[in-house]
Amino acid sequence: MSVLIVGSTALDSIQTPQRENPRLLGGSASHAAVAASFFSTVKLVGILGDDFPKRYLNLYRRHRIDLEGLQIAPGKTFHWAGEYEVNMDNRRTLETELGVFEKFSPTLSPSHQAAPFVLLANIAPALQHHVLNQMRRPKFVVADTMDLWLNIALEDLLRLLKRIDALVLNDSEAHQLTKADNILVAAKRIHRLGPKYVIIKKGASGAFLSAPGGIFLTPAYPLAKVVDPTGAGDSFVGGMTGYLATARGPLEKNLRRAMIYGTVVASFCCEGFGLQRTTKLTRSKIEQRVEELERLTRF
Amino acid sequence: MSVLIVGSTALDSIQTPQRENPRLLGGSASHAAVAASFFSTVKLVGILGDDFPKRYLNLYRRHRIDLEGLQIAPGKTFHWAGEYEVNMDNRRTLETELGVFEKFSPTLSPSHQAAPFVLLANIAPALQHHVLNQMRRPKFVVADTMDLWLNIALEDLLRLLKRIDALVLNDSEAHQLTKADNILVAAKRIHRLGPKYVIIKKGASGAFLSAPGGIFLTPAYPLAKVVDPTGAGDSFVGGMTGYLATARGPLEKNLRRAMIYGTVVASFCCEGFGLQRTTKLTRSKIEQRVEELERLTRF
C-alpha cells in the first residue's frame, strides 16, 4: 500500500568540523520519502522554489517517488544551515530561510486523499492538520514532531495527538511534553493525550515503542563513525512507515519489525552527508543490516 | 562451578530526595556476591570491622555465600555516605571512611585459590592484583573498575588489563580510558590493552559486549521507578559472572546470556535501597524477567 508523506523539502547547508556541504537535498519529507521508497510507493507532498536543482528532482524520481503533490513556486526553496560540534551530539542552527515554504498550503488530489498510510513528517502541526483534514479514511496515521512545535505550537500539537495513531518523538521531547523523566511514565502520559502507539527515539541508544500489546525495545545499529546525523530521525520514521505499509499480518507485530527497518535506514543515513548514503542504498543492503541486528541482539 | 569474588564489603548511608537510609549493607563485593549467589557457589573475600551488624552476616549466609575469606578486624567497617539528586542520575559522595579497609591484604585459602571463576569487583587495582597473584589457574577472570582508579591508579589498572579475560566498565570510563567517543572504537582500543572480552555498561541504555565472535547489545530492563541505583553495576557483573560459572556450552554464547541475567538482577537492585530488593529475589523471579526481556526485544 502507498504512503503519503508531507513535510519539509529543503536545501541543507551542513558544516561539521571536517567539512562544509552547501545546499544538499534535505528536509524531513525528503529524508522520510527516500527512506520509505525502499519498501512502498511514496506520494510526496511539499513545496519547492524555482532555485531547486533539477538533479534533486531526478533523485526523487529515481526512487519512484510520486511527485504529483510537489508544488514548485516562484521564489527560494526552504534553506537551513547548521553546524555540528566535534562529537556530533550538539547541533547549532546558523540560518533558516523559509522562502516559498511560508505560503505552503497544499491541496491534495483525489488519489492522494485516498492513501491508506499517512506520515506527517516534522513540520508545523497546523500544516499536519491541514493535510489530515483532506484525507479520506487513512488506515494508519503517523506523526513526527520536534521541540520547536512544543515551544511555539503546543495547542495545535495537542489537538493533532487526538487524530493520529502513532506519535514519534525523541526522549528529550517526550520529557518536555510530559514532564516525566522516566520513559515508561512519559509514554503512559502521551497515550492519555491520544496516540495508541508511542515511539520514543533515543538516538544512539535505539528506540522504544509503547503499544496496546506491550513495549518493544529497538537497539540502534552501532556505527564506528557518524558522518552527519541530519535526517536520521526522518529516515527512521520514513523507513518505519514505508515498511509498515507493505507488511502483512498483525499491525503491532509489523510495527516492531518496521522500527528495526527504520533504525537500519537511519544508520545508513548517518554514514553520509545529507541523503548521499541513503540514496545509494538497496533493499538487499538494508536486509543485510537487519539480519546483523538480529545477530547482535540474540541471546 | 564456584566464583571467587573480591571487592569492598561496606556500610552505605544513602540519601535520596525521599529518604535517608543509614548503614545499609553495601560495597561492590556484597552486591556482586548476592547477585552471583542465585546462580553459583560464591566465595567472598573481604574485610569487616567489629561494628558490622550480625544480621548482615546472616544475610550473606542465607545466600549460602562461603565466608571463609571474610576477615573481621578490630575497628570500623568501610563506610560510604552518598546522596542522589531528584532524577537519580547524579550522585554525590558525602563521606568515605575506609576503616579496616585500609589494612586489607587478604590471604587466600587453598580452596579459594582453586576457584575456577574470579570476579575482581570494583576495588583498588593493586588489591585486584594481590588476589589474582594467589589464584592457581582460574578458568575465567572478570574485572570491574571505576573512574577513581583511572584517575589515581592507572598504571596498576593497565597492568591488570593484561591479566584478565573480561573488563567491565561504564561508557564514561571507557571514554576516559581510551579518549574515544565512539563505543566501537573505545572497545577496540581496550582489546589492544589486553582483555579479550570488553563489556561497556550504559546505565538505562543497557550494555555492550565486544568479543572475538562479534558484538552483542543488551537492553536494560525498563523500570517505571528507580528507587536507588547504588550497586546496580556490581549486581550486573555479579549476576553475569555467577550465571557464566554454571552455564554449559560455548563461553561466548553463555556470556551473552549471562549479560542478560546480570541486567535483570541489576534492574531488581534498582527497585530497593541497597540490597533490600535483591536479597528478596528468587531464581524464578529472575527467569520471569529474562523471559520478559526476550519478549520486549523480539522482532
Side-chain angles (χ1 to χ4, degrees):
Chain A
M1 282 189 268
S2 66
V3 182
L4 181 113
I5 299 180
V6 62
S8 59
T9 40
L11 298 171
D12 284 352
S13 296
I14 299 167
Q15 281 180 34
T16 66
Q18 285 81 38
R19 266 181 70 169
E20 274 193 49
N21 297 275
R23 297 167 71 76
L24 298 168
L25 176 58
S28 63
S30 299
H31 280 281
V34 172
S37 75
F38 297 106
F39 310 100
S40 64
T41 310
V42 176
K43 299 169 193 295
L44 178 60
V45 178
I47 191 166
L48 304 170
D50 46 23
D51 61 343
F52 192 75
K54 214 170 193 165
R55 67 180 188 281
Y56 291 161
L57 279 176
N58 288 334
L59 190 152
Y60 287 143
R61 284 188 193 110
R62 273 206 306 280
H63 286 84
R64 282 161 298 126
I65 296 170
D66 170 348
L67 302 180
E68 192 194 321
L70 193 64
Q71 197 184 329
I72 301 186
K76 282 192 164 182
T77 302
F78 179 25
H79 177 241
W80 174 81
E83 180 181 47
Y84 285 90
E85 288 176 14
V86 182
N87 67 4
M88 291 292 174
D89 282 345
N90 294 317
R91 182 165 85 173
R92 203 162 65 90
T93 291
L94 299 171
E95 201 176 22
T96 308
E97 299 164 274
L98 285 178
V100 294
F101 210 77
E102 234 165 334
K103 44 192 172 192
F104 183 40
S105 179
T107 302
L108 268 51
S109 73
S111 93
H112 280 198
Q113 290 169 8
F117 282 76
V118 181
L119 169 51
L120 308 169
N122 179 27
I123 198 179
L127 269 168
Q128 293 177 316
H129 277 289
H130 177 75
V131 167
L132 204 48
N133 290 342
Q134 296 174 62
M135 296 308 297
R136 227 172 289 155
R137 291 193 57 176
K139 195 176 141 72
F140 200 79
V141 180
V142 180
D144 195 359
T145 194
M146 74 182 290
D147 52 355
L148 176 67
W149 314 120
L150 292 168
N151 292 329
I152 70 168
L154 184 59
E155 272 188 48
D156 287 349
L157 182 64
L158 291 174
R159 271 197 309 118
L160 185 80
L161 295 189
K162 303 205 180 304
R163 306 182 64 192
I164 60 174
D165 297 291
L167 177 68
V168 180
L169 73 180
N170 71 33
D171 44 4
S172 64
E173 291 154 5
H175 169 68
Q176 188 181 341
L177 179 60
T178 63
K179 313 288 173 251
D181 281 319
N182 183 282
I183 201 165
L184 296 172
V185 177
K188 203 173 268 185
R189 290 187 188 164
I190 296 171
H191 283 307
R192 271 191 235 124
L193 297 172
K196 194 167 168 183
Y197 302 93
V198 175
I199 292 157
I200 301 177
K201 296 172 289 182
K202 302 188 293 170
S205 298
F208 165 97
L209 164 71
S210 175
I215 68 172
F216 173 59
L217 308 171
T218 315
Y221 182 86
L223 293 174
K225 189 169 163 53
V226 170
V227 173
D228 171 21
T230 311
D234 307 312
S235 300
F236 169 77
V237 75
M240 181 190 89
T241 313
Y243 178 86
L244 194 64
T246 50
R248 287 176 195 187
L251 187 127
E252 194 170 323
K253 190 172 163 249
N254 292 340
L255 186 54
R256 287 173 163 234
R257 212 167 164 81
M259 286 173 67
I260 297 289
Y261 279 86
T263 215
V264 162
V265 181
S267 74
F268 283 112
C269 173
C270 292
E271 291 183 310
F273 282 99
L275 274 153
Q276 284 168 352
R277 181 84 176 90
T278 319
T279 48
K280 293 206 182 76
L281 272 181
T282 58
R283 178 72 186 251
S284 82
K285 278 183 193 162
I286 295 171
E287 294 295 344
Q288 265 174 36
R289 214 168 253 196
V290 167
E291 279 166 34
E292 213 182 323
L293 258 189
E294 276 174 330
R295 279 198 301 277
L296 294 183
T297 55
R298 200 182 297 142
F299 61 87
Chain B
M1 280 188 271
S2 66
V3 183
L4 180 114
I5 299 181
V6 62
S8 60
T9 41
L11 298 170
D12 283 353
S13 296
I14 300 166
Q15 282 180 35
T16 67
Q18 286 81 40
R19 269 181 69 168
E20 277 193 46
N21 298 274
R23 298 169 69 76
L24 298 167
L25 176 58
S28 64
S30 300
H31 279 281
V34 172
S37 75
F38 297 106
F39 310 101
S40 64
T41 310
V42 176
K43 299 171 192 295
L44 178 61
V45 177
I47 191 166
L48 304 170
D50 48 21
D51 60 344
F52 192 74
K54 214 169 194 167
R55 66 178 187 284
Y56 291 160
L57 279 177
N58 288 332
L59 190 152
Y60 287 142
R61 285 190 193 109
R62 273 206 306 281
H63 285 85
R64 282 159 299 128
I65 295 169
D66 171 348
L67 302 180
E68 192 193 321
L70 193 64
Q71 194 184 331
I72 301 186
K76 283 191 164 183
T77 303
F78 179 24
H79 177 241
W80 175 81
E83 181 181 46
Y84 284 92
E85 286 175 17
V86 182
N87 67 4
M88 292 291 173
D89 282 346
N90 294 316
R91 181 166 87 173
R92 202 161 64 90
T93 292
L94 300 172
E95 202 177 21
T96 307
E97 300 165 273
L98 285 179
V100 294
F101 210 77
E102 233 163 336
K103 45 192 171 191
F104 183 40
S105 179
T107 302
L108 269 50
S109 73
S111 93
H112 279 199
Q113 291 169 6
F117 283 77
V118 181
L119 169 51
L120 308 169
N122 178 26
I123 199 176
L127 269 168
Q128 294 177 316
H129 277 290
H130 178 75
V131 167
L132 204 48
N133 290 342
Q134 297 174 63
M135 296 307 298
R136 227 172 290 156
R137 289 193 58 177
K139 195 175 140 71
F140 200 79
V141 180
V142 180
D144 196 0
T145 194
M146 74 183 289
D147 51 356
L148 176 67
W149 312 122
L150 292 169
N151 292 330
I152 69 169
L154 184 59
E155 271 188 49
D156 286 348
L157 183 63
L158 290 174
R159 270 199 308 120
L160 186 79
L161 296 188
K162 305 207 179 298
R163 307 183 64 193
I164 60 174
D165 298 289
L167 177 68
V168 181
L169 75 179
N170 71 32
D171 43 6
S172 64
E173 291 154 6
H175 168 69
Q176 188 181 341
L177 179 60
T178 63
K179 312 291 172 249
D181 281 319
N182 184 282
I183 200 165
L184 296 173
V185 178
K188 202 173 270 185
R189 290 188 187 164
I190 297 171
H191 283 307
R192 269 190 238 127
L193 297 172
K196 194 167 169 184
Y197 302 93
V198 175
I199 294 158
I200 300 177
K201 296 173 287 181
K202 302 189 294 172
S205 298
F208 166 98
L209 165 70
S210 175
I215 68 171
F216 172 59
L217 308 170
T218 315
Y221 181 87
L223 293 174
K225 190 170 164 49
V226 170
V227 173
D228 170 22
T230 313
D234 308 310
S235 300
F236 169 78
V237 75
M240 182 190 90
T241 314
Y243 178 86
L244 193 64
T246 51
R248 286 178 197 188
L251 188 127
E252 194 170 324
K253 189 171 163 250
N254 292 340
L255 186 53
R256 288 173 161 234
R257 210 165 166 82
M259 286 173 68
I260 296 289
Y261 278 87
T263 215
V264 162
V265 181
S267 73
F268 282 111
C269 172
C270 292
E271 291 184 309
F273 282 99
L275 274 154
Q276 285 169 352
R277 181 86 177 88
T278 320
T279 49
K280 292 203 183 75
L281 273 181
T282 58
R283 178 73 187 250
S284 81
K285 279 182 192 161
I286 295 170
E287 294 295 344
Q288 266 174 37
R289 213 167 252 194
V290 167
E291 280 166 31
E292 215 182 320
L293 258 189
E294 276 174 331
R295 280 197 301 277
L296 293 182
T297 54
R298 200 182 298 144
F299 60 88

